[in-house]
Amino acid sequence: MLEKLSYAQRQRLAYIDFCLLFKGEIYRNDLIKRFEVGLSAGSRDFNLYKEVAPQNLVYDHQLKRYFQTDSFEPVFEHDPKRTLVKLANDISDGFDAIGDVQFPVEAPTSLNVPDIFVIARLVQAMLKQQAVMIRYTSLSSGESRREVVPHTIVDNGQRWHVRGYDRKTESFRDFVLTRISEAEITDNAGVEEGSESDHEWHRKIPLQLVTHPHNVTHSKAIEMDYGMTDGVLTIDVRAAMAGYLLRRWNVDCTEDASLNGPEYQLWLRNRTSLMNTSNLAIAPGYKVT
């Protein structure tokens, strides 16, 4: 039924669904004010929602509002990660009640903010499959000009990178966005410089994460944190991103789980899966054997 509705109708029904899920209640006037519809149109939306999910809401005539029932099941998918980001940053996509009320969700403070104009040039180049001349400052060699064919902007959990083909080293590399001071679109990219040739990006490797055998007393807590099944969290990650993930979550990558400290709550059980993978210098304790 939802697929047959107009975009505007789905938007209003999703708003009702969101309010019931996160606020536990909704006034008819909430919908009318948010979408600037008439009383009759608002009533039709609530009737339509009740037709789709009659078990989800009950109307209290004395309080003149709808309440979530004990048998409530969301009609729309509200992705946990996206919803938390939206709530924390007060960003609405029109399908929710964000902005109507101050939700008690906070996001961590960001220590670095990339230049929006640099981002814009990079995105343009990606869409047009063109190269970009950038002025880049690295920790090892300082400032230099490099010609890069970018294909993806990546959040590694701590900062933003752009991944692309570096014509200087003739390899695919990651460049920290905040270290790019200039970006100018140049010529078209060659066939070997496109994302299709970035094998590290397209290759997926399985990582089996388990509770650290020496640093954790109550392993059940860690299993709950990561939604482990039978004590194991198995995830497939891009080879180019494996090092970032392992560092971000302080995953002990030693062969015998020998890293000590409360920050190491996870251990990589199948470290052999990292063979022939670059960018692992940042993976905690990983050494090529």
Side-chain angles (χ1 to χ4, degrees):
M1 180 183 292
L2 293 176
E3 296 176 354
K4 297 179 181 179
L5 301 178
S6 67
Y7 178 86
Q9 284 178 304
R10 290 200 306 273
Q11 197 173 30
R12 295 195 296 271
L13 262 61
Y15 176 85
I16 296 173
D17 199 56
F18 186 94
C19 286
L20 289 171
L21 176 60
F22 288 94
K23 295 169 62 179
E25 61 185 51
I26 180 173
Y27 288 94
R28 186 183 310 172
N29 208 38
D30 292 338
L31 183 74
I32 293 172
K33 286 185 176 181
R34 176 65 179 262
F35 295 97
E36 298 182 349
V37 296
L39 180 61
S40 59
S43 297
R44 283 197 301 271
D45 288 331
F46 275 98
N47 289 332
L48 182 57
Y49 185 88
K50 285 189 286 186
E51 186 178 345
V52 174
Q55 78 288 352
N56 275 4
L57 73 171
V58 61
Y59 187 71
D60 188 307
H61 291 276
Q62 184 175 357
L63 297 176
K64 296 183 178 180
R65 56 182 146 169
Y66 292 91
F67 286 92
Q68 177 198 107
T69 64
D70 293 336
S71 56
F72 177 87
E73 289 289 340
V75 175
F76 293 83
E77 181 181 356
H78 304 282
D79 180 81
K81 290 189 289 186
R82 289 184 58 189
T83 300
L84 283 171
V85 170
K86 291 195 299 178
L87 289 172
N89 294 280
D90 198 24
I91 300 171
S92 173
D93 59 8
F95 285 82
D96 50 57
I98 297 171
D100 293 2
V101 63
Q102 185 65 48
F103 288 92
V105 181
E106 284 289 329
T109 301
S110 178
L111 297 182
N112 50 19
V113 181
D115 187 317
I116 191 64
F117 296 106
V118 167
I119 297 172
R121 286 286 184 272
L122 292 171
V123 171
Q124 287 179 36
M126 292 175 201
L127 296 177
K128 297 176 182 178
Q129 296 182 321
Q130 291 180 298
V132 181
M133 182 65 73
I134 64 173
R135 186 181 297 277
Y136 188 76
T137 304
S138 71
L139 286 173
S140 57
S141 57
E143 184 179 288
S144 65
R145 290 179 64 82
R146 312 174 82 103
E147 200 164 18
V148 178
V149 182
H151 68 70
T152 308
I153 291 179
V154 182
D155 177 11
N156 73 359
Q158 291 182 313
R159 53 192 178 189
W160 292 90
H161 290 73
V162 59
R163 184 166 178 84
Y165 185 83
D166 178 23
R167 287 179 172 172
K168 180 179 180 180
T169 61
E170 298 184 340
S171 63
F172 287 94
R173 303 173 71 97
D174 296 342
F175 298 91
V176 182
L177 285 185
T178 49
R179 296 178 186 172
I180 301 175
S181 57
E182 296 177 10
E184 180 182 352
I185 298 176
T186 58
D187 57 5
N188 293 327
V191 176
E192 74 283 356
E193 299 171 325
S195 63
E196 297 81 6
S197 301
D198 190 349
H199 304 300
E200 287 278 281
W201 180 256
H202 291 287
R203 182 168 65 92
K204 294 289 188 71
I205 57 177
L207 301 180
Q208 296 177 359
L209 307 181
V210 299
T211 302
H212 200 285
H214 310 306
N215 299 333
V216 176
T217 302
H218 302 287
S219 60
K220 180 64 175 179
I222 303 302
E223 292 175 15
M224 294 174 66
D225 278 347
Y226 299 97
M228 294 180 177
T229 301
D230 296 327
V232 182
L233 173 64
T234 301
I235 53 176
D236 291 327
V237 301
R238 298 183 187 276
M241 296 291 292
Y244 296 127
L245 182 144
L246 294 167
R247 180 180 66 173
R248 180 185 182 188
W249 296 106
N250 290 321
V251 180
D252 184 344
C253 298
T254 60
E255 192 170 7
D256 55 354
S258 58
L259 294 183
N260 296 317
E263 68 272 28
Y264 300 111
Q265 298 177 341
L266 296 171
W267 176 53
L268 179 63
R269 188 172 69 175
N270 63 331
R271 67 188 305 276
T272 54
S273 64
L274 298 178
M275 292 179 62
N276 302 317
T277 300
S278 59
N279 198 27
L280 291 178
I282 59 176
Y286 182 78
K287 294 181 181 179
V288 179
T289 55

